[in-house]
Amino acid sequence: MKILQSLLRVEEGSYSNLLLNSELKKIKDQRDKSLFTEIFYGVIRNKLYLDFIIDNYSKTPLVKMDKEVLMGLRIGVYQLFFLDKVPARAAIYESVEAVKTILPNSKKGAVSFTNGVLRNINRQHDKLALPAKAKNPEKYLSVKYSYPIWMVNKFVQQYGFESAETILNAGNKRSEVTYRHNSLKMTEKEFFQLLKADGIEYEKTFLDSFFRLKKINNPAATQVFKKGGAYIQGTSAGLASLLLDVKEGMQVLDLAAAPGGKTTHIAEIMNNTGEITALDISQHRLNLVSDNLSRLGVTNVNLKIADAAKYEDDKKYDRILADLPCSGLGLISSKPEIKWEKDRSVIRKMADLQYRILNNNLSKLKKNGQLLYSTCTLTREENQDLIERILQENSDFKLMDLNIKLNEISSLTIENKNKYLELLPGEVDSEGFFFALLKKVESD
């Protein structure tokens, strides 16, 4: 029943990662933790495909089902189709019992319905066929990889069918945990010693100070994390601070700092010198940054609660980090609920916000200063098109070529004919990101 309740809470807007971490703390057996995690994320990732299956074997339309029944069916179908180690009888029984426990006695018919549909699916699931790929390739991708059709159309339009399929497939793979070593608190030798003490296996990534962890249950409960020697951060996200090319003693403006990953990385690179002015729109979000500053030993950050689209400041900065709010379509592997929470309208909404934030802060850059624009999404409206508009309207800025810098700071080998950088899930072993570096070339 717990997993059914948890999935319903995600449907109502809870963050999957935070909710999962909370529920796992209540489970003692490691095998039970692993199974709970597998089913929890599996149902979220594959919701459209699971609904496709249920719809094919149920006479009752999905929209007329109780939400508890539909979620119970999804949990059962996921186990029948994806978990070979779970016997079909057990998968059906546990799913039906969860529905039975959560629904009132007055809805015994719904429980019988759940049992009947799952048994029917188990008997006939070999007969299920996906939409014809040749007839409707976008619908085929939508059902097979369980993405809303508008998102599939967007990816196919921008990248072509094959690349779109690579992106969709990568988004369905479980996100891996990566530690960034924080040199402000300990040496790399001490960092590795603590990993070894906790029995944590790791492997290198395309960034020197980033390490992918293997088989870790709670990355925030390790010695190295608690002592401030590690920050949980994806490698693509880690590129931002390095591409900004900060130097010790600089004045840096961070326009959207929470939860503080890039802010603290910049501070580490600057060795706690100079000053970073870090903005965010709410005190709650700034509190998250403050907690991370304290744990990681960062002392050169000035936190300010402010709307970056309206922020006023006479100060001139050497560097500006504009890692701005976006539709987040590059983070689906770690936050699969993004598939179902977003629609087309969010893209234009985010692009408008990004434009207003950039327009409001370009004047704060010193001559020869640099602004790095980054997003964790994959839409041209929020990325390439926006940067082209900014450059057309601001002749005192030019686009810098990120390829040389990328070769200096990483081991990534990608073919890129553009000055900006776009990382696509599946083509790189990390989350999807976009970067563009602007330099102010004329005096104020």
Side-chain angles (χ1 to χ4, degrees):
M1 184 179 75
K2 279 290 183 182
I3 196 163
L4 196 157
Q5 290 174 323
S6 297
L7 287 166
L8 288 175
R9 288 178 62 187
V10 173
E11 292 265 294
E12 293 166 0
S14 294
Y15 291 114
S16 64
N17 57 336
L18 299 180
L19 183 58
L20 178 63
N21 289 339
S22 175
E23 290 300 322
L24 291 181
K25 290 177 183 177
K26 305 172 187 176
I27 303 173
K28 294 182 179 180
D29 187 271
Q30 182 52 49
R31 289 171 298 180
D32 291 340
K33 286 178 184 280
S34 298
L35 182 60
F36 191 100
T37 302
E38 174 66 37
I39 296 173
F40 180 80
Y41 273 134
V43 170
I44 297 173
R45 288 193 179 99
N46 296 282
K47 185 172 77 168
L48 190 147
Y49 178 58
L50 300 176
D51 286 356
F52 173 79
I53 296 170
I54 295 166
D55 195 42
N56 270 269
Y57 291 98
S58 169
K59 295 179 181 178
T60 301
L62 302 181
V63 294
K64 291 189 176 181
M65 294 181 190
D66 291 317
K67 61 181 180 180
E68 296 87 353
V69 170
L70 180 55
M71 190 61 73
L73 287 171
R74 288 169 181 163
I75 292 170
V77 172
Y78 179 76
Q79 293 176 81
L80 292 174
F81 277 74
F82 290 90
L83 299 184
D84 295 335
K85 294 182 179 179
V86 178
R89 181 181 299 176
I92 295 170
Y93 175 79
E94 292 297 336
S95 301
V96 172
E97 282 299 300
V99 173
K100 182 179 180 180
T101 303
I102 202 171
L103 282 178
N105 291 331
S106 60
K107 293 197 173 183
K108 289 183 179 179
V111 177
S112 299
F113 169 80
T114 304
N115 183 60
V117 172
L118 288 176
R119 291 185 179 280
N120 188 29
I121 290 172
N122 185 46
R123 286 194 301 267
Q124 303 186 55
H125 76 269
D126 291 339
K127 299 177 182 179
L128 184 75
L130 291 171
K133 183 177 180 179
K135 185 176 180 180
N136 194 334
E138 283 82 7
K139 187 175 182 181
Y140 164 82
L141 291 180
S142 174
V143 173
K144 181 179 180 180
Y145 296 102
S146 197
Y147 280 73
I149 191 66
W150 75 264
M151 203 177 291
V152 172
N153 290 337
K154 168 65 70 175
F155 291 157
V156 171
Q157 176 190 1
Q158 291 187 171
Y159 305 112
F161 186 89
E162 290 185 5
S163 291
E165 186 167 17
T166 298
I167 293 169
L168 299 175
N169 185 39
N172 279 346
K173 293 180 179 178
R174 186 182 301 179
S175 178
E176 296 176 307
V177 177
T178 305
Y179 270 168
R180 166 170 58 85
H181 163 235
N182 173 37
S183 61
L184 293 176
K185 272 298 184 80
M186 61 184 64
T187 65
E188 194 172 72
K189 181 179 180 180
E190 292 169 324
F191 173 81
F192 291 138
Q193 286 174 340
L194 286 177
L195 289 180
K196 185 177 181 181
D198 275 345
I200 299 171
E201 297 181 14
Y202 59 88
E203 61 186 15
K204 293 182 178 180
T205 67
F206 57 75
L207 294 181
D208 283 343
S209 57
F210 287 69
F211 303 91
R212 187 177 296 109
L213 309 185
K214 299 180 179 180
K215 298 180 181 179
I216 186 163
N217 300 321
N218 187 352
T222 64
Q223 293 184 68
V224 69
F225 184 89
K226 291 178 178 178
K227 293 182 178 181
Y231 186 87
I232 302 168
Q233 186 174 31
T235 42
S236 291
L239 273 173
S241 306
L242 298 167
L243 292 172
L244 188 58
D245 195 27
V246 294
K247 310 294 182 185
E248 290 192 8
M250 280 186 168
Q251 296 293 314
V252 179
L253 177 61
D254 186 347
L255 296 174
K262 299 176 183 67
T263 312
T264 55
H265 195 192
I266 292 170
E268 179 192 355
I269 296 169
M270 292 168 61
N271 199 26
N272 267 337
T273 64
E275 184 180 49
I276 303 168
T277 300
L279 313 181
D280 217 283
I281 198 165
S282 77
Q283 188 59 55
H284 170 71
R285 290 173 61 81
L286 283 181
N287 290 342
L288 297 177
V289 181
S290 181
D291 290 344
N292 281 315
L293 297 181
S294 177
R295 184 177 63 84
L296 299 172
V298 173
T299 59
N300 65 338
V301 174
N302 177 25
L303 297 177
K304 289 187 178 183
I305 182 169
D307 181 347
K310 301 175 182 177
Y311 178 62
E312 295 182 3
D313 187 351
D314 294 332
K315 191 173 179 178
K316 298 291 184 180
Y317 294 89
D318 301 289
R319 298 285 188 270
I320 296 178
L321 176 63
D323 180 60
L324 300 188
C326 66
S327 58
L329 303 190
L331 301 182
I332 287 174
S333 63
S334 59
K335 299 178 180 178
E337 66 269 27
I338 286 174
K339 291 182 184 181
W340 320 117
E341 293 175 349
K342 311 289 184 179
D343 58 31
R344 297 175 195 271
S345 65
V346 74
I347 296 173
R348 175 46 52 197
K349 181 180 178 182
M350 289 294 101
D352 289 342
L353 175 61
Q354 293 151 1
Y355 175 77
R356 287 189 287 111
I357 292 175
L358 287 178
N359 234 17
N360 185 56
N361 291 284
L362 291 175
S363 62
K364 299 178 179 64
L365 204 60
K366 293 178 181 178
K367 182 182 178 182
N368 295 320
Q370 297 180 5
L371 179 149
L372 184 77
Y373 176 75
S374 70
T375 71
C376 53
T377 198
L378 308 175
T379 74
R380 288 194 62 92
E381 294 94 326
E382 298 173 80
N383 294 333
Q384 294 92 331
D385 293 350
L386 177 65
I387 293 302
E388 289 174 9
R389 180 182 177 186
I390 290 293
L391 291 170
Q392 288 173 359
E393 296 176 359
N394 297 274
S395 59
D396 52 341
F397 283 82
K398 73 173 183 178
L399 184 64
M400 305 297 290
D401 191 341
L402 286 174
N403 290 292
I404 296 174
K405 184 65 179 176
L406 181 67
N407 291 333
E408 293 174 354
I409 63 176
S410 80
S411 59
L412 268 180
T413 54
I414 58 175
E415 291 185 14
N416 184 30
K417 299 178 181 179
N418 304 295
K419 291 183 177 181
Y420 54 76
L421 177 63
E422 187 176 39
L423 303 181
L424 302 179
E427 294 186 5
V428 296
D429 191 16
S430 190
E431 64 270 45
F433 253 82
F434 174 86
F435 303 96
L437 186 64
L438 306 182
K439 182 177 182 178
K440 190 167 187 177
V441 293
E442 294 183 14
S443 59
D444 298 325

